[in-house]
Amino acid sequence: MRRTKSGDGAAAGTIADRTPAPDGGPVLRLEAVRKTYGRTVVLRDVALEVPPHTVTALIGASGSGKSTLLRCANLLEEIDDGAIFLDGAEITDPRVDADAVRRRIGVVFQAYNLFPHMTVLENVTLAPRRVHGLPRAEAEARARELLERLGLGGRSGAYPDRLSGGQQQRVAIVRALAVRPRLLLLDEITAALDPELVGEVLGVVRDLKEEGMTMVIATHEMSFAREVADQVCFLDGGVVLERGAPEQVFGDPQQERTGRFLERIIRAGRL
């Protein structure tokens, strides 16, 4: 069946939205999701469950479907078959307001996508004010709190071109968090960074995990995925070929294709 796409709170003092799913189930669930571009099948009957306050790492070669999966989960791409659920409610139902869904999901891409003519504070408060209708004072107070937490307290008045790549990516993460998302999707957020800046951004993700933020991360940083993830999914040709705890997937892969992929990673010194 082809699907057509069409007030959150957080506990005080924490970044994560701790509102439970209605049935205590996963925050995000994909059922038999299929996505094609012309004759090319990018996702093949993908099934995935993301429990609350956990980190799911998507690994695999470029073109394996990791980024497309995230874009489908945020309704930036229309799926061709299957269903996607957020807190038990189907968000790929044609009657669903896609914009309302996106207000509950934060997304950070490898490109920072900051508005160059706006200060850091203006970039961060734009969506809370314009989309969520927060008063300016409340939006700015929330933004300043997050910027301080992520080590950017003194940069609120700076313009993006005055920041390092790592600082810009941290601003992009703050912008995603400012709307108090139920779920955070991170798509290769270190891919555009110089090696010396990767650590500071990954440190932010570690902090978010400790705060209990539910995250799905597409990454080529294998050592980081092994450290931070609660579950790892290896994608190959649009299929979730293997999933499991990091120690199992990285230490004792059950699929030959997973093993070959990890062998190349090890030879390259990335694991």
Side-chain angles (χ1 to χ4, degrees):
M1 175 180 175
R2 183 180 178 84
R3 306 269 180 184
T4 302
K5 296 191 301 181
S6 43
D8 308 319
T14 185
I15 289 176
D17 177 354
R18 299 186 180 275
T19 306
D23 59 357
V27 173
L28 179 70
R29 185 170 85 250
L30 280 68
E31 292 184 354
V33 169
R34 184 178 179 87
K35 174 64 183 175
T36 62
Y37 295 114
R39 296 184 178 181
T40 302
V41 181
V42 184
L43 297 177
R44 301 173 184 267
D45 301 324
V46 169
L48 176 66
E49 290 193 355
V50 179
H53 315 306
T54 64
V55 177
T56 295
L58 308 178
I59 65 171
S62 296
S64 60
K66 303 185 301 296
S67 294
T68 301
L69 190 157
L70 294 183
R71 292 180 65 84
C72 288
N74 195 42
L75 305 184
L76 293 173
E77 296 283 355
E78 178 183 334
I79 66 174
D80 296 293
D81 203 358
I84 301 175
F85 298 82
L86 183 66
D87 281 331
E90 185 183 353
I91 60 176
T92 43
D93 186 305
R95 297 166 294 182
V96 167
D97 181 348
D99 289 334
V101 171
R102 294 190 193 104
R103 287 197 287 269
R104 303 185 64 210
I105 302 176
V107 185
V108 183
F109 299 105
Q110 58 180 282
Y112 320 128
N113 296 323
L114 301 177
F115 292 109
H117 63 289
M118 293 184 177
T119 66
V120 165
L121 187 65
E122 289 167 340
N123 267 282
V124 172
T125 59
L126 182 63
R129 291 193 298 109
R130 297 286 182 86
V131 179
H132 292 258
L134 284 185
R136 179 183 293 272
E138 184 177 346
E140 290 188 353
R142 170 69 173 166
R144 292 183 190 280
E145 175 194 355
L146 288 170
L147 289 168
E148 189 67 37
R149 287 193 192 189
L150 272 66
L152 295 164
R155 309 299 285 165
S156 62
Y159 288 89
D161 65 356
R162 307 304 297 174
L163 305 177
S164 70
Q167 289 173 327
Q168 290 188 61
Q169 192 60 289
R170 279 186 283 155
V171 171
I173 294 172
V174 169
R175 182 177 57 185
L177 294 172
V179 297
R180 301 182 185 270
R182 175 67 169 141
L183 172 68
L184 186 61
L185 308 177
L186 305 176
D187 187 14
E188 302 288 5
I189 59 172
T190 60
L193 297 178
D194 293 334
E196 64 267 23
L197 300 177
V198 169
E200 69 179 59
V201 173
L202 296 183
V204 170
V205 180
R206 290 188 187 94
D207 291 342
L208 293 176
K209 176 181 171 65
E210 292 178 4
E211 288 274 1
M213 174 61 67
T214 306
M215 292 181 280
V216 183
I217 305 172
T219 183
H220 287 299
E221 301 288 340
M222 297 297 112
S223 295
F224 180 72
R226 187 171 193 167
E227 171 195 346
V228 78
D230 297 287
Q231 69 169 334
V232 175
C233 298
F234 172 65
L235 276 74
D236 184 59
V239 176
V240 179
L241 195 62
E242 184 159 356
R243 82 185 71 213
E247 57 269 22
Q248 180 267 301
V249 174
F250 289 109
D252 185 26
Q254 303 301 298
Q255 298 294 324
E256 180 183 355
R257 177 69 185 92
T258 313
R260 292 201 309 272
F261 171 78
L262 292 174
E263 284 176 6
R264 290 202 300 272
I265 296 297
I266 292 171
R267 286 199 299 270
R270 293 164 52 199
L271 181 61

